[in-house]
Amino acid sequence: MTNQLRADGTLRHLLTLESLARTDIERLLDRAQTFVRPLGAKPPVSTALAGITVANLFTEPSTRTRVSFELAAKRLGADVVNLEVQLSSRVKGESMLDTVYTLQSLHVDVMVIRDPEAGVPDLVAANVAPHVSVLSAGEAHVSHPTQGLLDALTVRQHKKRFEKLGIAIVGDIRHSRVARSAYHVFRTLGVPDLRIVAPESLLPAAKEFAGCARHTTLEAGIKDVDVVMMLRIQKERMGQVDLPDADRYFSMYGLTPERLEHARPDAIVMHPQPMNRGIEIASDVADGKQSVIRDQVRNGVAVRMAVLAEVVGSRAVTVEGGR
Ligand code: NCD
């Protein structure tokens, strides 16, 4: 794995949260928090990334992640180009690295990459020029580091001390990069009670998620937790898994208001989206008072601004409202 940090300890690439220290994560969360504004207020803007070009290179569908990377870059004054697989020449057989070298020659400084194949962000990071940064926007089922950071920021806004928390991740853990990045970030931040909850066929291999309690019933899995993180069933990453149909899945694992009562009364409910309402989560819960799902989206822009500001680092000027 390519080294993500520069010699001075700042972030150059963001490919995974797995190897980051608690201090690195906290520094990014602190910086992200400076970019959070209440709904209805004007978002923070600056010229910190003026003259910097960010390319969004997405070969898998995305709504929130792509838009929030774009808004984050623009609010910091960067130029942004968006490449989608239908438009890029990758479909004509050009390799990913040739696309990357082309972008590099066009003075792209930051490449934001989402790809269904494991290892692609790391391959790109290992081959770009020293001034170029690579940010993963979702790598196969392996990792989704900015999602992990925005999830941690959201929890921190509501719960303060990670060392006291119970967090249950519920749903298609096996195919989820969101679950893997959440696992890494919450472990590093010292969460003592981390659980994964899924039907047997959607739990990960036994050697993964070390230290997590594994549950196959929702009620026991979320009992007295502070945070319930629901995940989408990832049909596109499944081969032949033994899965109950949608109605049966909802009757066993769908988060309803009644089921949520098994968690602490002040528990928060999270979901990375897109949501399958009526399959993994009831609308009453998704839109209910314990839901922080829309905060997650807002925090996504703030986290991506913090990451962009740090990777561009001293090439940028000081961020207004930041550090
Ligand atoms: C997730 C993803 O693409 O990994 N979405 C997101 O980025 N918020 C989760 C999903 O697709 O279920």
Side-chain angles (χ1 to χ4, degrees):
M1 172 66 74
T2 310
N3 194 350
Q4 304 189 97
L5 300 180
R6 294 193 178 87
D8 67 359
T10 60
L11 204 63
R12 176 184 165 198
H13 302 298
L14 183 59
L15 310 172
T16 175
L17 300 178
E18 196 170 354
S19 56
L20 292 187
R22 182 167 186 164
T23 49
D24 298 321
I25 289 168
E26 286 176 340
R27 182 180 70 248
L28 289 166
L29 297 183
D30 288 346
R31 193 170 200 168
Q33 187 61 47
T34 70
F35 296 124
V36 175
R37 297 290 183 278
L39 209 61
K42 272 200 187 149
V45 287
S46 89
T47 53
L49 267 63
I52 296 288
T53 305
V54 177
N56 282 322
L57 189 49
F58 280 56
T59 62
E60 244 192 4
S62 171
T63 310
R64 277 154 295 273
T65 306
R66 199 195 59 69
V67 170
S68 63
F69 263 114
E70 180 171 355
L71 288 176
K74 286 183 170 163
R75 286 178 187 161
L76 293 172
D79 291 324
V80 183
V81 287
N82 294 308
L83 285 88
E84 277 151 33
V85 73
Q86 310 89 293
L87 307 175
S88 83
S89 49
R90 194 180 183 211
V91 286
K92 295 180 213 149
E94 189 177 354
S95 76
M96 183 62 136
L97 283 181
D98 284 333
T99 305
V100 163
Y101 296 140
T102 300
L103 292 170
Q104 193 170 279
S105 300
L106 295 169
H107 285 275
V108 167
D109 305 277
V110 182
M111 304 200 191
V112 180
I113 296 181
R114 169 171 286 199
D115 199 88
E117 202 181 308
V120 168
D122 189 33
L123 174 76
V124 175
N127 284 284
V128 287
H131 68 281
V132 174
S133 292
V134 177
L135 308 180
S136 167
E139 174 187 359
H141 63 285
V142 176
S143 82
H144 194 347
T146 55
Q147 180 74 41
L149 291 173
L150 77 87
D151 289 339
L153 184 63
T154 306
V155 171
R156 194 173 80 161
Q157 286 165 353
H158 291 272
K159 296 292 172 195
K160 314 281 182 272
R161 287 188 43 114
F162 288 103
E163 292 86 348
K164 295 208 176 300
L165 294 183
I167 300 183
I169 309 176
V170 183
D172 185 3
I173 317 281
R174 178 177 292 189
H175 302 96
S176 176
R177 56 191 173 209
V178 176
R180 287 178 175 80
S181 285
Y183 167 69
H184 290 135
V185 78
F186 292 136
R187 287 276 285 186
T188 304
L189 291 170
V191 172
D193 176 8
L194 203 49
R195 313 176 192 178
I196 52 176
V197 187
E200 198 63 55
S201 58
L202 298 181
L203 280 172
K207 63 177 188 333
E208 279 198 282
F209 292 81
C212 286
R214 299 161 77 96
H215 290 270
T216 52
T217 56
L218 183 63
E219 289 79 358
I222 66 172
K223 186 159 174 42
D224 297 330
V225 294
D226 304 278
V227 178
V228 185
M229 182 188 280
M230 301 304 295
L231 299 175
R232 184 174 69 92
I233 299 295
Q234 310 247 318
K235 295 195 195 85
E236 73 277 21
R237 294 206 186 89
M238 290 181 187
Q240 285 301 315
V241 289
D242 181 18
L243 191 68
D245 63 36
D247 287 346
R248 202 165 133 69
Y249 186 86
F250 185 69
S251 75
M252 294 172 76
Y253 294 97
L255 190 63
T256 59
E258 300 72 45
R259 287 235 172 83
L260 183 55
E261 285 177 16
H262 291 272
R264 286 177 53 94
D266 61 350
I268 56 170
V269 175
M270 302 173 68
H271 192 306
Q273 305 198 70
M275 280 185 275
N276 296 307
R277 291 170 182 260
I279 298 182
E280 71 261 1
I281 191 164
S283 279
D284 288 354
V285 175
D287 304 325
K289 64 180 189 337
Q290 287 169 263
S291 169
V292 296
I293 294 170
R294 292 178 201 164
D295 294 7
Q296 289 174 268
V297 181
R298 178 200 59 189
N299 288 334
V301 182
V303 155
R304 289 163 184 133
M305 287 175 83
V307 171
L308 283 165
E310 179 157 324
V311 298
V312 173
S314 57
R315 303 183 73 218
V317 295
T318 312
V319 179
E320 280 169 28
R323 294 192 308 170

